[in-house]
Coordinates of all heavy atoms in Angstrom, one line a residue:
M1 N 0.8 -1.2 0.0 CA 0.0 0.0 0.0 C 0.8 1.2 0.0 O 0.4 2.3 0.6 CB -0.9 -0.1 1.3 CG -2.0 -0.9 1.1 SD -3.4 -0.6 2.2 CE -3.3 1.1 2.5
G2 N 2.0 1.2 -0.6 CA 2.7 2.4 -0.7 C 3.9 2.5 0.3 O 4.7 3.3 0.3
G3 N 3.9 1.6 1.3 CA 4.9 1.5 2.3 C 6.2 1.0 1.7 O 6.2 0.2 0.8
R4 N 7.3 1.3 2.3 CA 8.6 0.8 1.7 C 9.1 -0.4 2.7 O 8.9 -0.3 3.9 CB 9.7 1.8 1.8 CG 9.4 2.9 0.8 CD 10.5 4.0 0.8 NE 10.5 4.4 2.2 CZ 11.5 5.2 2.7 NH1 12.4 5.7 1.9 NH2 11.5 5.6 3.9
T5 N 9.5 -1.4 2.1 CA 10.1 -2.5 2.9 C 11.4 -2.1 3.5 O 12.4 -1.6 2.9 CB 10.2 -3.8 2.1 OG1 9.0 -4.1 1.5 CG2 10.7 -5.0 2.9
I6 N 11.6 -2.4 4.8 CA 12.9 -2.1 5.4 C 13.2 -3.4 6.2 O 12.5 -4.4 6.1 CB 12.8 -0.9 6.4 CG1 11.8 -1.2 7.5 CG2 12.5 0.4 5.7 CD1 11.8 -0.1 8.6
R7 N 14.5 -3.4 6.7 CA 15.0 -4.6 7.3 C 14.1 -5.2 8.3 O 14.0 -6.5 8.3 CB 16.3 -4.3 7.8 CG 17.1 -5.5 8.3 CD 18.5 -5.1 8.7 NE 19.1 -6.4 9.2 CZ 20.3 -6.4 9.8 NH1 20.9 -5.3 9.9 NH2 20.7 -7.6 10.1
M8 N 13.5 -4.5 9.2 CA 12.7 -5.1 10.3 C 11.3 -5.3 10.0 O 10.5 -5.8 10.7 CB 12.8 -4.2 11.5 CG 14.3 -4.0 12.1 SD 14.8 -5.5 12.6 CE 14.0 -5.8 14.1
G9 N 10.8 -5.0 8.7 CA 9.4 -5.1 8.3 C 9.0 -4.0 7.3 O 9.8 -3.6 6.6
I10 N 7.7 -3.6 7.5 CA 7.2 -2.7 6.5 C 7.1 -1.3 7.3 O 6.5 -1.2 8.3 CB 5.8 -3.2 6.0 CG1 6.0 -4.5 5.2 CG2 5.2 -2.1 5.2 CD1 4.7 -5.0 4.7
R11 N 7.6 -0.3 6.6 CA 7.4 1.0 7.1 C 6.0 1.6 6.6 O 5.8 1.5 5.3 CB 8.5 2.0 6.7 CG 8.3 3.4 7.1 CD 9.4 4.3 6.8 NE 10.4 3.9 7.8 CZ 11.7 4.2 7.7 NH1 12.1 4.8 6.7 NH2 12.6 3.9 8.7
M12 N 5.1 1.9 7.5 CA 3.8 2.4 7.1 C 3.8 3.9 6.9 O 4.3 4.6 7.8 CB 2.7 2.0 8.1 CG 2.6 0.4 8.0 SD 1.4 -0.3 9.2 CE 0.0 0.8 9.2
T13 N 3.1 4.4 5.9 CA 2.9 5.8 5.7 C 1.8 6.2 6.7 O 1.0 5.5 7.2 CB 2.6 6.1 4.3 OG1 1.3 5.5 4.1 CG2 3.6 5.5 3.3
P14 N 1.6 7.6 6.9 CA 0.6 8.0 7.7 C -0.8 7.6 7.1 O -1.8 7.2 7.9 CB 0.6 9.5 7.6 CG 2.1 9.7 7.5 CD 2.5 8.6 6.5
L15 N -0.9 7.5 5.8 CA -2.2 7.0 5.2 C -2.4 5.5 5.5 O -3.5 5.1 5.7 CB -2.1 7.2 3.7 CG -3.3 6.8 2.9 CD1 -4.5 7.5 3.3 CD2 -3.1 7.0 1.4
D16 N -1.3 4.7 5.5 CA -1.5 3.3 5.7 C -1.9 3.2 7.2 O -2.8 2.4 7.5 CB -0.1 2.6 5.7 CG 0.4 2.5 4.2 OD1 -0.5 2.5 3.3 OD2 1.6 2.5 3.9
T17 N -1.4 3.9 8.1 CA -1.7 3.9 9.5 C -3.2 4.3 9.7 O -3.9 3.6 10.4 CB -0.9 4.8 10.4 OG1 0.6 4.4 10.1 CG2 -1.1 4.8 11.7
A18 N -3.6 5.3 9.1 CA -5.1 5.7 9.2 C -6.0 4.6 8.5 O -7.0 4.4 9.2 CB -5.3 7.0 8.3
L19 N -5.5 3.9 7.5 CA -6.4 2.9 6.9 C -6.5 1.8 7.9 O -7.6 1.2 8.2 CB -5.8 2.4 5.6 CG -6.5 1.3 5.0 CD1 -8.0 1.7 4.7 CD2 -5.8 0.8 3.7
V20 N -5.4 1.4 8.5 CA -5.4 0.2 9.5 C -6.2 0.6 10.7 O -7.0 -0.2 11.2 CB -3.9 -0.1 9.9 CG1 -3.9 -1.1 11.1 CG2 -3.2 -0.7 8.7
A21 N -6.1 1.9 11.2 CA -6.9 2.3 12.4 C -8.5 2.2 12.0 O -9.2 1.8 12.8 CB -6.5 3.7 12.8
A22 N -8.8 2.8 10.8 CA -10.2 2.7 10.4 C -10.7 1.3 10.3 O -11.9 1.1 10.8 CB -10.4 3.5 9.0
Q23 N -10.0 0.4 9.6 CA -10.4 -0.9 9.5 C -10.6 -1.6 10.8 O -11.5 -2.3 11.2 CB -9.4 -1.7 8.7 CG -9.3 -1.3 7.2 CD -10.7 -1.6 6.5 OE1 -11.6 -0.8 6.4 NE2 -10.7 -2.6 5.7
A24 N -9.6 -1.4 11.8 CA -9.7 -2.0 13.1 C -10.8 -1.5 13.9 O -11.6 -2.2 14.5 CB -8.3 -1.7 13.9
T25 N -11.1 -0.1 13.8 CA -12.3 0.4 14.5 C -13.6 -0.1 13.9 O -14.5 -0.5 14.7 CB -12.3 2.0 14.3 OG1 -11.1 2.5 14.9 CG2 -13.4 2.6 15.0
T26 N -13.6 -0.3 12.6 CA -14.9 -0.8 12.0 C -15.1 -2.3 12.5 O -16.2 -2.7 12.8 CB -14.8 -0.8 10.4 OG1 -14.6 0.5 10.0 CG2 -15.9 -1.4 9.8
I27 N -14.0 -3.1 12.6 CA -14.1 -4.4 13.0 C -14.5 -4.5 14.5 O -15.5 -5.2 14.9 CB -12.9 -5.2 12.9 CG1 -12.6 -5.5 11.3 CG2 -12.9 -6.5 13.5 CD1 -11.3 -5.9 10.9
L28 N -13.9 -3.6 15.3 CA -14.2 -3.7 16.7 C -15.7 -3.2 17.0 O -16.5 -3.9 17.8 CB -13.2 -2.8 17.6 CG -11.8 -3.4 17.6 CD1 -10.9 -2.4 18.2 CD2 -11.8 -4.7 18.5
V29 N -16.0 -2.1 16.4 CA -17.4 -1.5 16.7 C -18.4 -2.4 16.1 O -19.5 -2.6 16.6 CB -17.5 0.0 16.3 CG1 -18.9 0.5 16.4 CG2 -16.5 0.9 17.0
G30 N -18.1 -2.9 14.9 CA -19.1 -3.7 14.2 C -19.3 -5.1 15.0 O -20.5 -5.6 15.1
T31 N -18.3 -5.6 15.5 CA -18.4 -6.9 16.4 C -19.4 -6.5 17.6 O -20.2 -7.3 17.9 CB -17.0 -7.4 16.8 OG1 -16.3 -7.7 15.6 CG2 -17.2 -8.6 17.7
Y32 N -19.1 -5.4 18.2 CA -19.9 -5.0 19.4 C -21.4 -4.7 19.0 O -22.2 -5.3 19.7 CB -19.3 -3.6 20.0 CG -20.0 -3.1 21.1 CD1 -20.1 -3.8 22.4 CD2 -20.8 -1.9 21.0 CE1 -20.7 -3.2 23.4 CE2 -21.5 -1.3 22.1 CZ -21.4 -2.1 23.3 OH -22.2 -1.5 24.3
L33 N -21.6 -4.0 17.9 CA -23.0 -3.9 17.5 C -23.7 -5.2 17.1 O -24.9 -5.3 17.4 CB -23.0 -2.9 16.3 CG -22.6 -1.4 16.7 CD1 -22.6 -0.6 15.4 CD2 -23.7 -0.9 17.6
T34 N -22.9 -6.0 16.5 CA -23.4 -7.3 16.0 C -23.8 -8.1 17.3 O -25.0 -8.7 17.4 CB -22.5 -8.1 15.2 OG1 -22.2 -7.4 14.1 CG2 -23.0 -9.5 14.9
T35 N -23.0 -8.1 18.3 CA -23.3 -8.8 19.6 C -24.5 -8.2 20.3 O -25.4 -8.9 20.7 CB -22.0 -8.7 20.5 OG1 -21.0 -9.4 19.8 CG2 -22.3 -9.5 21.7
L36 N -24.6 -6.8 20.4 CA -25.8 -6.3 21.0 C -27.0 -6.6 20.3 O -28.1 -7.0 20.9 CB -25.6 -4.8 21.0 CG -24.6 -4.1 21.9 CD1 -24.5 -2.6 21.8 CD2 -24.9 -4.6 23.4
A37 N -27.0 -6.5 18.9 CA -28.3 -6.8 18.1 C -28.6 -8.3 18.3 O -29.8 -8.6 18.4 CB -28.1 -6.4 16.7
R38 N -27.7 -9.1 18.3 CA -28.0 -10.5 18.4 C -28.5 -10.9 19.8 O -29.6 -11.6 19.9 CB -26.7 -11.4 18.2 CG -26.9 -12.9 18.3 CD -25.6 -13.7 18.1 NE -24.6 -13.4 19.1 CZ -24.6 -13.9 20.3 NH1 -25.5 -14.7 20.8 NH2 -23.7 -13.5 21.2
R39 N -28.0 -10.4 20.9 CA -28.4 -10.5 22.2 C -29.9 -10.0 22.3 O -30.7 -10.6 23.0 CB -27.6 -9.9 23.3 CG -26.3 -10.6 23.4 CD -25.5 -9.9 24.5 NE -24.2 -10.5 24.7 CZ -23.2 -10.0 25.3 NH1 -23.3 -8.7 25.9 NH2 -22.0 -10.5 25.3
A40 N -30.1 -8.8 21.8 CA -31.5 -8.1 21.8 C -32.4 -9.0 21.0 O -33.5 -9.2 21.5 CB -31.5 -6.8 21.2
G41 N -32.0 -9.6 19.9 CA -32.9 -10.4 19.2 C -33.2 -11.8 19.9 O -34.4 -12.1 19.8
R42 N -32.3 -12.3 20.6 CA -32.6 -13.5 21.5 C -33.4 -13.2 22.6 O -34.4 -14.0 22.9 CB -31.3 -14.1 22.0 CG -30.5 -14.9 21.0 CD -29.3 -15.6 21.7 NE -28.8 -16.6 20.9 CZ -27.7 -17.3 21.2 NH1 -27.1 -17.1 22.2 NH2 -27.3 -18.2 20.4
R43 N -33.2 -12.0 23.2 CA -34.0 -11.7 24.5 C -35.5 -11.4 24.1 O -36.3 -11.8 24.8 CB -33.3 -10.5 25.0 CG -33.9 -10.1 26.4 CD -33.2 -9.0 27.1 NE -33.0 -7.8 26.4 CZ -31.8 -7.4 25.8 NH1 -30.8 -8.1 26.0 NH2 -31.7 -6.3 25.1
T44 N -35.7 -10.7 23.0 CA -37.1 -10.2 22.6 C -37.7 -11.2 21.6 O -38.9 -11.1 21.5 CB -37.0 -8.8 21.9 OG1 -36.2 -8.9 20.7 CG2 -36.4 -7.8 22.9
G45 N -36.9 -12.0 21.0 CA -37.6 -12.8 19.9 C -37.8 -12.1 18.6 O -38.6 -12.7 17.7
A46 N -37.4 -10.9 18.5 CA -37.7 -10.0 17.3 C -36.8 -10.4 16.1 O -35.5 -10.3 16.2 CB -37.5 -8.6 17.6
S47 N -37.4 -10.8 15.1 CA -36.7 -11.2 13.9 C -35.9 -10.1 13.3 O -34.9 -10.2 12.6 CB -37.5 -12.0 12.8 OG -38.5 -11.0 12.3
S48 N -36.5 -8.9 13.4 CA -35.9 -7.7 12.9 C -34.5 -7.4 13.5 O -33.6 -6.9 12.9 CB -36.8 -6.5 13.0 OG -37.1 -6.2 14.3
L49 N -34.5 -7.7 14.9 CA -33.2 -7.4 15.6 C -32.2 -8.6 15.1 O -31.0 -8.3 15.0 CB -33.4 -7.5 17.0 CG -34.1 -6.4 17.6 CD1 -34.4 -6.5 19.1 CD2 -33.3 -5.1 17.5
R50 N -32.5 -9.7 14.9 CA -31.6 -10.7 14.3 C -31.1 -10.3 13.0 O -30.0 -10.5 12.6 CB -32.3 -12.1 14.3 CG -32.5 -12.7 15.7 CD -32.8 -14.1 15.7 NE -34.1 -14.4 15.0 CZ -35.4 -14.4 15.7 NH1 -35.5 -14.1 16.9 NH2 -36.5 -14.5 14.9
S51 N -32.1 -9.8 12.1 CA -31.7 -9.3 10.8 C -30.7 -8.1 10.9 O -29.8 -8.0 10.1 CB -32.9 -8.8 10.1 OG -33.7 -10.0 9.8
L52 N -30.9 -7.3 11.9 CA -30.0 -6.2 12.1 C -28.6 -6.6 12.5 O -27.6 -6.2 11.9 CB -30.5 -5.3 13.2 CG -29.9 -4.0 13.6 CD1 -30.1 -3.1 12.3 CD2 -30.5 -3.3 14.7
A53 N -28.5 -7.7 13.3 CA -27.2 -8.4 13.6 C -26.6 -8.9 12.4 O -25.4 -8.8 12.2 CB -27.5 -9.4 14.6
V54 N -27.4 -9.5 11.5 CA -26.7 -10.1 10.2 C -26.2 -8.9 9.4 O -25.1 -9.0 8.7 CB -27.8 -10.8 9.4 CG1 -27.3 -11.2 8.0 CG2 -28.1 -12.1 10.2
G55 N -26.9 -7.8 9.4 CA -26.4 -6.6 8.6 C -25.2 -6.0 9.1 O -24.2 -5.8 8.4
F56 N -25.1 -5.9 10.4 CA -23.8 -5.4 11.0 C -22.7 -6.5 10.8 O -21.6 -6.1 10.6 CB -24.0 -5.2 12.6 CG -24.8 -4.0 12.9 CD1 -25.9 -4.0 13.8 CD2 -24.5 -2.8 12.3 CE1 -26.5 -2.9 14.2 CE2 -25.2 -1.6 12.6 CZ -26.2 -1.7 13.5
A57 N -23.0 -7.8 10.9 CA -22.0 -8.8 10.7 C -21.4 -8.7 9.2 O -20.3 -8.9 9.0 CB -22.6 -10.2 11.0
C58 N -22.3 -8.4 8.3 CA -21.9 -8.4 6.9 C -20.8 -7.1 6.8 O -19.8 -7.3 6.1 CB -23.0 -8.1 5.9 SG -24.0 -9.6 5.6
I59 N -21.2 -6.0 7.4 CA -20.3 -4.9 7.2 C -19.0 -5.2 7.9 O -17.9 -4.9 7.4 CB -21.0 -3.7 7.8 CG1 -22.2 -3.3 6.9 CG2 -20.0 -2.5 8.0 CD1 -23.0 -2.2 7.6
T60 N -19.0 -5.7 9.1 CA -17.8 -6.1 9.8 C -17.0 -7.2 9.1 O -15.7 -7.1 9.0 CB -18.2 -6.7 11.2 OG1 -19.0 -5.8 11.9 CG2 -17.0 -7.0 12.1
L61 N -17.6 -8.2 8.5 CA -16.8 -9.2 7.8 C -16.2 -8.6 6.5 O -15.1 -8.9 6.2 CB -17.8 -10.3 7.3 CG -17.2 -11.5 6.6 CD1 -16.2 -12.2 7.5 CD2 -18.3 -12.4 6.1
G62 N -16.8 -7.7 5.9 CA -16.3 -6.9 4.8 C -14.9 -6.2 5.1 O -14.0 -6.2 4.4
A63 N -14.9 -5.6 6.3 CA -13.8 -5.0 6.8 C -12.6 -5.9 7.1 O -11.5 -5.6 6.7 CB -14.1 -4.0 8.0
A64 N -13.0 -7.1 7.6 CA -12.1 -8.1 7.8 C -11.5 -8.7 6.7 O -10.3 -8.9 6.6 CB -12.7 -9.2 8.8
I65 N -12.3 -9.0 5.7 CA -11.8 -9.5 4.4 C -10.9 -8.5 3.7 O -9.8 -8.9 3.3 CB -13.0 -9.9 3.5 CG1 -13.7 -11.1 4.0 CG2 -12.5 -10.1 2.0 CD1 -15.0 -11.3 3.4
A66 N -11.3 -7.3 3.7 CA -10.3 -6.2 3.1 C -9.0 -6.2 3.9 O -7.9 -6.1 3.2 CB -11.0 -4.8 3.1
G67 N -9.1 -6.2 5.1 CA -7.8 -6.2 5.9 C -6.9 -7.5 5.7 O -5.7 -7.3 5.5
V68 N -7.5 -8.6 5.5 CA -6.8 -9.8 5.2 C -6.2 -9.7 3.8 O -5.0 -10.0 3.6 CB -7.7 -11.0 5.4 CG1 -7.0 -12.3 4.8 CG2 -8.0 -11.3 6.9
V69 N -7.0 -9.3 2.8 CA -6.4 -9.2 1.5 C -5.3 -8.2 1.3 O -4.3 -8.5 0.8 CB -7.6 -8.8 0.5 CG1 -7.0 -8.5 -1.0 CG2 -8.6 -10.0 0.3
L70 N -5.5 -7.1 2.1 CA -4.4 -6.0 2.0 C -3.2 -6.5 2.7 O -2.1 -6.2 2.4 CB -5.0 -4.7 2.5 CG -6.0 -4.0 1.7 CD1 -6.6 -2.9 2.5 CD2 -5.5 -3.6 0.3
G71 N -3.4 -7.3 3.8 CA -2.3 -7.8 4.5 C -1.5 -8.8 3.8 O -0.2 -9.0 3.8
L72 N -2.2 -9.7 3.0 CA -1.5 -10.8 2.3 C -1.0 -10.3 0.9 O 0.0 -10.8 0.5 CB -2.5 -12.0 2.1 CG -2.9 -12.6 3.4 CD1 -4.0 -13.8 3.2 CD2 -1.7 -13.3 4.1
A73 N -1.8 -9.4 0.3 CA -1.4 -9.0 -1.1 C -1.7 -7.5 -1.3 O -2.7 -7.2 -1.8 CB -2.2 -9.8 -2.1
P74 N -0.8 -6.7 -0.7 CA -1.1 -5.2 -0.9 C -1.2 -4.7 -2.3 O -1.9 -3.7 -2.5 CB 0.3 -4.6 -0.3 CG 0.9 -5.7 0.5 CD 0.5 -7.0 -0.1
T75 N -0.8 -5.5 -3.2 CA -1.0 -5.1 -4.6 C -2.4 -5.3 -5.1 O -2.8 -4.9 -6.2 CB 0.0 -5.7 -5.6 OG1 -0.1 -7.2 -5.4 CG2 1.4 -5.3 -5.3
A76 N -3.2 -6.0 -4.2 CA -4.6 -6.4 -4.7 C -5.5 -5.5 -3.9 O -6.7 -5.9 -3.5 CB -4.8 -7.9 -4.4
A77 N -5.2 -4.3 -3.7 CA -6.0 -3.3 -3.0 C -7.3 -3.2 -3.6 O -8.4 -3.1 -2.8 CB -5.4 -2.0 -2.9
A78 N -7.4 -3.2 -4.9 CA -8.8 -3.0 -5.6 C -9.7 -4.2 -5.2 O -10.9 -4.0 -5.0 CB -8.6 -2.9 -7.1
L79 N -9.1 -5.4 -5.2 CA -10.0 -6.6 -4.8 C -10.4 -6.5 -3.3 O -11.6 -6.8 -3.1 CB -9.1 -7.8 -5.0 CG -9.7 -9.2 -4.5 CD1 -11.0 -9.5 -5.3 CD2 -8.8 -10.3 -4.6
G80 N -9.4 -6.1 -2.4 CA -9.9 -6.0 -1.1 C -10.9 -4.9 -0.9 O -11.9 -5.1 -0.2
F81 N -10.8 -3.8 -1.5 CA -11.8 -2.7 -1.3 C -13.1 -3.1 -2.0 O -14.2 -2.6 -1.6 CB -11.2 -1.3 -1.7 CG -10.2 -0.8 -0.9 CD1 -8.9 -0.4 -1.3 CD2 -10.4 -0.8 0.6 CE1 -8.0 -0.1 -0.4 CE2 -9.5 -0.3 1.4 CZ -8.3 0.2 1.0
S82 N -13.1 -3.8 -3.1 CA -14.2 -4.2 -3.8 C -15.0 -5.2 -3.0 O -16.3 -5.0 -2.8 CB -13.9 -4.9 -5.2 OG -13.3 -3.9 -6.0
A83 N -14.3 -6.1 -2.3 CA -15.0 -7.0 -1.4 C -15.6 -6.3 -0.3 O -16.8 -6.5 0.2 CB -14.0 -8.1 -1.0
Q84 N -14.9 -5.3 0.3 CA -15.5 -4.5 1.4 C -16.7 -3.8 1.0 O -17.7 -3.7 1.7 CB -14.4 -3.6 2.0 CG -15.0 -2.8 3.2 CD -13.9 -1.9 3.8 OE1 -12.8 -1.8 3.3 NE2 -14.2 -1.4 5.0
A85 N -16.6 -3.2 -0.2 CA -17.8 -2.3 -0.7 C -19.1 -3.2 -0.9 O -20.1 -2.9 -0.5 CB -17.3 -1.6 -2.0
A86 N -18.7 -4.4 -1.4 CA -19.9 -5.3 -1.6 C -20.6 -5.8 -0.3 O -21.8 -5.8 -0.2 CB -19.4 -6.6 -2.5
A87 N -19.6 -6.1 0.7 CA -20.2 -6.5 1.9 C -20.9 -5.5 2.7 O -21.9 -5.6 3.3 CB -19.0 -7.1 2.7
T88 N -20.4 -4.3 2.6 CA -21.0 -3.0 3.1 C -22.3 -2.8 2.5 O -23.4 -2.5 3.2 CB -20.2 -1.8 3.1 OG1 -18.9 -2.0 3.7 CG2 -20.8 -0.6 3.6
A89 N -22.4 -2.9 1.1 CA -23.7 -2.8 0.5 C -24.7 -3.7 0.9 O -25.9 -3.4 1.2 CB -23.5 -2.7 -1.0
A90 N -24.3 -5.0 1.0 CA -25.2 -6.0 1.4 C -25.6 -5.9 2.9 O -26.9 -6.0 3.2 CB -24.5 -7.4 1.2
G91 N -24.8 -5.5 3.7 CA -25.1 -5.2 5.2 C -26.1 -4.1 5.2 O -27.0 -4.2 6.0
L92 N -25.9 -3.1 4.5 CA -26.8 -1.9 4.6 C -28.2 -2.3 4.0 O -29.2 -1.8 4.6 CB -26.2 -0.7 3.8 CG -25.0 -0.1 4.5 CD1 -24.4 1.0 3.6 CD2 -25.3 0.5 5.8
V93 N -28.3 -3.1 3.0 CA -29.6 -3.6 2.5 C -30.3 -4.4 3.6 O -31.5 -4.2 3.9 CB -29.5 -4.4 1.2 CG1 -30.7 -5.1 0.9 CG2 -29.0 -3.4 0.1
V94 N -29.5 -5.2 4.3 CA -30.1 -6.1 5.3 C -30.7 -5.2 6.5 O -31.7 -5.4 7.0 CB -29.2 -7.2 5.8 CG1 -29.7 -7.9 7.1 CG2 -28.8 -8.1 4.7
I95 N -29.8 -4.2 6.9 CA -30.2 -3.2 8.0 C -31.4 -2.5 7.6 O -32.4 -2.3 8.4 CB -29.0 -2.3 8.3 CG1 -27.9 -3.2 9.0 CG2 -29.5 -1.2 9.2 CD1 -26.6 -2.4 9.1
A96 N -31.5 -2.0 6.3 CA -32.6 -1.3 5.8 C -34.0 -2.1 5.9 O -35.0 -1.7 6.3 CB -32.4 -0.8 4.4
V97 N -33.8 -3.4 5.5 CA -35.0 -4.2 5.6 C -35.3 -4.6 7.0 O -36.6 -4.5 7.3 CB -34.6 -5.6 4.9 CG1 -35.8 -6.6 5.1 CG2 -34.5 -5.4 3.4
A98 N -34.4 -4.7 7.9 CA -34.7 -4.9 9.3 C -35.3 -3.7 9.9 O -36.4 -3.9 10.7 CB -33.4 -5.3 10.1
L99 N -34.9 -2.6 9.6 CA -35.5 -1.3 10.1 C -36.9 -1.1 9.6 O -37.8 -0.7 10.2 CB -34.6 -0.1 9.9 CG -33.3 -0.1 10.7 CD1 -32.4 1.0 10.3 CD2 -33.5 -0.1 12.2
R100 N -37.0 -1.4 8.3 CA -38.4 -1.3 7.6 C -39.4 -2.2 8.3 O -40.5 -1.9 8.5 CB -38.2 -1.7 6.1 CG -39.5 -1.5 5.4 CD -39.9 -0.1 5.3 NE -41.2 0.0 4.6 CZ -41.7 1.1 4.3 NH1 -41.3 2.2 4.7 NH2 -42.9 1.1 3.6
K101 N -38.9 -3.5 8.7 CA -39.8 -4.5 9.3 C -40.2 -3.8 10.7 O -41.4 -4.1 11.1 CB -39.0 -5.7 9.5 CG -39.1 -6.7 8.3 CD -38.7 -8.1 8.7 CE -37.3 -8.3 8.9 NZ -36.9 -9.8 9.1
T102 N -39.2 -3.2 11.3 CA -39.5 -2.7 12.7 C -40.6 -1.5 12.5 O -41.5 -1.2 13.4 CB -38.3 -2.1 13.3 OG1 -37.4 -3.2 13.4 CG2 -38.5 -1.7 14.7
A103 N -40.4 -0.6 11.4 CA -41.3 0.5 11.3 C -42.7 0.1 10.8 O -43.6 0.9 11.1 CB -40.7 1.4 10.2
D104 N -42.8 -1.0 10.1 CA -44.2 -1.4 9.7 C -44.7 -2.4 10.6 O -44.3 -3.6 10.6 CB -44.1 -2.0 8.3 CG -43.8 -1.0 7.2 OD1 -44.0 0.2 7.5 OD2 -43.3 -1.3 6.1
P105 N -45.8 -2.1 11.4 CA -46.3 -3.1 12.3 C -47.0 -4.2 11.5 O -47.6 -4.0 10.5 CB -47.4 -2.3 13.0 CG -47.6 -1.1 12.4 CD -46.4 -0.8 11.5
A106 N -46.8 -5.5 11.9 CA -47.3 -6.6 11.1 C -48.7 -6.8 11.3 O -49.5 -6.6 11.9 CB -46.5 -7.8 11.6

């Protein structure tokens, strides 16, 4: 990702550091939100909350996949970010459907 290889490893640019921090934050917060939504869905039995958990999990998984791809093959950045974008889009669709189910009484 633009970093230069040095004897002890990879020197990260400030942009690389910001990207790693953003991905790590997405994974940590996404995991937390997924867990909260899953627990709430179990506690209440509401399918919309379980769907919300699935949506958050998709977004979180996309960030993790992008991180793995970029870590293993930095030259495949387009592939990593494409996978993340697709997972984010899918997660947002699932979240929208979950929220729509909650807004429309059955």
Side-chain angles (χ1 to χ4, degrees):
M1 289 201 23
R4 294 179 306 173
T5 302
I6 59 174
R7 187 173 178 189
M8 297 299 289
I10 296 176
R11 175 173 285 164
M12 292 178 42
T13 67
L15 182 59
D16 294 331
T17 303
L19 177 62
V20 169
Q23 294 294 84
T25 301
T26 300
I27 292 167
L28 291 172
V29 175
T31 300
Y32 178 68
L33 290 173
T34 300
T35 301
L36 287 178
R38 185 184 56 82
R39 286 180 185 168
R42 278 188 170 172
R43 187 174 53 252
T44 64
S47 64
S48 59
L49 288 172
R50 288 190 300 270
S51 296
L52 191 63
V54 170
F56 287 133
C58 285
I59 293 170
T60 304
L61 183 62
I65 289 170
V68 168
V69 169
L70 291 171
L72 295 177
T75 57
L79 175 63
F81 289 127
S82 295
Q84 182 176 8
T88 298
L92 290 173
V93 167
V94 172
I95 289 170
V97 170
L99 292 174
R100 182 69 185 182
K101 281 196 281 187
T102 302
D104 292 337

